[in-house]
Amino acid sequence: MRYSIDIYIHRACVLILLLLLQISLCECSREEAVLVKVDFKTTVVKEDYSIPVEVVLSNSTTGADEYEWSFQGGEPTTSQRRNPGTILYKNAGIYTITLYAKNRDGSEDQKEITLDLDEAVGVDFTAEVQIDNFAPVTVTITNNSVGASTYNWTFAGGNPVTSDQKDPGNVVFSEPGDHKIKLEIGNGRETHTKDTTITVQPFLVSDFDWEVDFQDKDLEAPVQITLQNKSISATSYNWSINGAVPGTSSEENPTAIFNNAGTYLIELTATNGKETKSLTKSITILPDTNIKVINNVRFGINTAHNTDMIGSFFSGYTEEVYTQSQVTPEIGSQIDLVFFGLNNTFSFNRFYTPDMLDDTTFDAIPNATHTKMINVQEGCGCGASLSLVQFDVMTNDTSLQAFAITETIAGLQPFDNSVVPRIVLFETADGRKGALKIKNFVTNGANSYIETDIKIQKQPKN
């Protein structure tokens, strides 16, 4: 009997121990339940928060097994991934990102973040000049900026000088020069600027000069001039050229010919559509003497010419002396005189016609013409004579018209330096008569030369 009681007691103890163990296990289970703590952060790829914008999500939630994302206004709009990656927002506005998370123990949590996304901010404007850019200039401003709430305009030298209006309208710049237009825009978070420069042309000035044709530089009638327009800020021109042909012109730089001596007025009226201004100048045309006077012309001896130091070929049209290497076919047709000096002792000197150089060391001149020459007047038997006094006092071509140039053997003879000064007569292929006075025989070794004055008709006259 005693044995049975012990068994019962033992069994009761076992049951009590099992019950206590179960209670302990239940308590331990409740103590180890996992709680959900939602946390995440957003990173905006563009610092200015202007759309379109990408938002990168970083999920640091703990204790969760399931996630439910909601992206108001975004692409995508929802996600159940722990890390949904990047969300795209294409439109400006205020949007909420929500994350709800839970676990199998029944724990749950939620968090929201609000995004304030701006319109894309872009500064842009145009400044269009009305009519033209001659002072004063009116400029129409067109604002093409986006995403801004404030505007700050500055117009250097303009009227107005500043503006805070989105569209300031027209601005007037009265003074010539460069004027900067600047726009600064903002949206409360960021600012952007842009500027441009308007150039205002100077006020209208009417001005001109003229260039006389090379053959008419003595201003003896007839005289051809080319008018040189120096006007400032002009767009059209009206010339009145008294006594010339043509008498009027609207060209910018017209050419005119004065056929008669006298003093004439030239008037230029310039305009640019805003202003009109005129200027008048006078020009005096001298009576025609029909003679060119070219002083101190040097002709080199044979060695000077052949080494390109001092030429021996002379043109009455260009009034230049050329060496062989300088003569082109065009210049060759304009050569009137050729001097051949044998050496620096000046024992043999002669002026040759350009088309007959066989007796010299010179090469033939391309397109050469024939000039009649009288090297030696004394005893030439040519019927022409011009004294030193007549040469020196010659101010027109009357003396040259008076005699005929006839080539003779005696007249073509060479000469030395025993007679100084010496007069040489000639007549060009086109009938221009002339006289040359040899003033000096200058000894300078291989570069020796003669120094002359030349008087020649501008146009042939019988």
Side-chain angles (χ1 to χ4, degrees):
M1 190 67 177
R2 175 70 181 173
Y3 175 77
S4 298
I5 292 172
D6 289 339
I7 291 175
Y8 283 118
I9 292 172
H10 176 72
R11 287 179 178 175
C13 288
V14 170
L15 288 173
I16 291 170
L17 288 173
L18 289 173
L19 180 60
L20 291 174
L21 178 61
Q22 185 175 359
I23 292 172
S24 175
L25 289 174
C26 289
E27 289 295 330
C28 289
S29 177
R30 271 195 294 269
E31 289 177 359
E32 294 178 2
V34 178
L35 297 178
V36 174
K37 178 61 176 177
V38 171
D39 193 18
F40 68 94
K41 67 177 182 178
T42 61
T43 302
V44 179
V45 175
K46 291 173 64 177
E47 294 181 358
D48 58 12
Y49 279 69
S50 60
I51 55 93
V53 69
E54 293 180 335
V55 177
V56 178
L57 297 170
S58 299
N59 191 350
S60 56
T61 299
T62 58
D65 299 320
E66 299 179 25
Y67 307 91
E68 294 182 10
W69 294 90
S70 174
F71 311 113
Q72 181 188 15
E75 293 182 6
T77 58
T78 61
S79 176
Q80 294 182 338
R81 298 172 56 190
R82 173 178 174 82
N83 293 296
T86 301
I87 311 302
L88 176 64
Y89 291 86
K90 295 182 178 180
N91 300 305
I94 299 175
Y95 302 105
T96 300
I97 297 178
T98 304
L99 173 58
Y100 168 78
K102 63 180 181 179
N103 63 16
R104 64 178 61 90
D105 294 332
S107 179
E108 60 184 12
D109 195 13
Q110 181 174 298
K111 180 180 179 179
E112 292 183 352
I113 291 179
T114 300
L115 298 177
D116 187 355
L117 303 181
D118 299 325
E119 289 284 352
V121 179
V123 59
D124 189 30
F125 67 89
T126 60
E128 183 179 0
V129 174
Q130 302 300 307
I131 303 177
D132 55 48
N133 63 343
F134 301 121
V137 172
T138 298
V139 178
T140 298
I141 307 297
T142 302
N143 192 349
N144 300 314
S145 301
V146 294
S149 56
T150 60
Y151 306 90
N152 182 20
W153 296 90
T154 55
F155 309 108
N159 182 19
V161 177
T162 62
S163 176
D164 59 2
Q165 299 299 306
K166 179 180 180 181
D167 296 297
N170 290 343
V171 181
V172 178
F173 298 93
S174 299
E175 293 299 320
D178 291 337
H179 302 271
K180 181 179 287 188
I181 299 175
K182 181 180 178 180
L183 171 60
E184 179 180 280
I185 65 172
N187 64 356
R189 194 195 308 269
E190 56 183 304
T191 59
H192 295 268
T193 61
K194 177 184 177 179
D195 61 66
T196 190
T197 299
I198 296 295
T199 299
V200 179
Q201 295 298 324
F203 293 106
L204 177 65
V205 174
S206 179
D207 190 19
F208 67 93
D209 205 338
W210 56 78
E211 181 179 36
V212 179
D213 184 75
F214 177 78
Q215 299 299 327
D216 303 323
K217 63 181 182 295
D218 56 8
L219 287 176
E220 294 180 3
V223 174
Q224 177 175 296
I225 67 171
T226 299
L227 291 162
Q228 298 174 320
N229 199 329
K230 297 183 177 181
S231 299
I232 299 173
S233 298
T235 56
S236 62
Y237 315 94
N238 184 22
W239 296 90
S240 175
I241 314 168
N242 182 33
V245 179
T248 62
S249 177
S250 59
E251 295 181 11
E252 184 173 356
N253 299 293
T255 296
I257 298 176
F258 295 90
N259 291 307
N260 301 300
T263 299
Y264 304 99
L265 297 179
I266 303 174
E267 181 182 42
L268 169 61
T269 300
T271 183
N272 61 13
K274 293 180 178 178
E275 296 180 277
T276 299
K277 292 186 178 180
S278 298
L279 177 67
T280 300
K281 294 184 178 183
S282 64
I283 183 172
T284 298
I285 306 301
L286 303 174
D288 183 21
T289 64
N290 196 41
I291 193 170
K292 284 185 175 184
V293 179
I294 312 159
N295 294 322
N296 303 319
V297 180
R298 294 180 177 182
F299 290 88
I301 64 172
N302 175 51
T303 51
H305 176 87
N306 289 332
T307 56
D308 287 343
M309 297 303 295
I310 305 175
S312 300
F313 302 162
F314 174 79
S315 168
Y317 280 112
T318 65
E319 303 178 18
E320 296 285 343
V321 176
Y322 300 92
T323 63
Q324 184 87 48
S325 63
Q326 294 174 314
V327 176
T328 64
E330 181 180 2
I331 293 176
S333 65
Q334 298 175 348
I335 298 298
D336 296 316
L337 302 175
V338 175
F339 172 72
F340 180 79
L342 182 63
N343 52 47
N344 63 356
T345 67
F346 298 107
S347 59
F348 182 98
N349 310 284
R350 181 179 172 183
F351 279 93
Y352 281 80
T353 177
D355 62 344
M356 298 177 65
L357 302 182
D358 294 342
D359 293 342
T360 71
T361 58
F362 300 144
D363 295 333
I365 296 175
N367 296 327
T369 60
H370 185 83
T371 298
K372 297 177 183 179
M373 302 297 312
I374 300 178
N375 283 282
V376 181
Q377 290 190 78
E378 55 268 30
C380 71
C382 55
S385 176
L386 185 71
S387 69
L388 289 171
V389 173
Q390 288 175 312
F391 180 93
D392 290 339
V393 300
M394 187 188 306
T395 57
N396 56 47
D397 71 336
T398 302
S399 297
L400 296 175
Q401 293 182 52
F403 57 81
I405 304 294
T406 302
E407 290 181 312
T408 65
I409 294 176
L412 292 175
Q413 292 300 310
F415 54 89
D416 57 23
N417 60 350
S418 61
V419 177
V420 183
R422 172 178 290 279
I423 301 296
V424 174
L425 302 178
F426 61 90
E427 182 179 342
T428 64
D430 60 359
R432 290 171 291 125
K433 297 176 183 178
L436 177 149
K437 181 174 76 171
I438 302 175
K439 300 188 296 184
N440 294 299
F441 291 83
V442 180
T443 301
N444 186 26
N447 294 325
S448 298
Y449 60 90
I450 63 172
E451 186 174 49
T452 70
D453 291 339
I454 300 174
K455 295 183 178 181
I456 182 174
Q457 289 179 312
K458 291 191 290 186
Q459 299 293 335
K461 287 185 180 180
N462 294 326

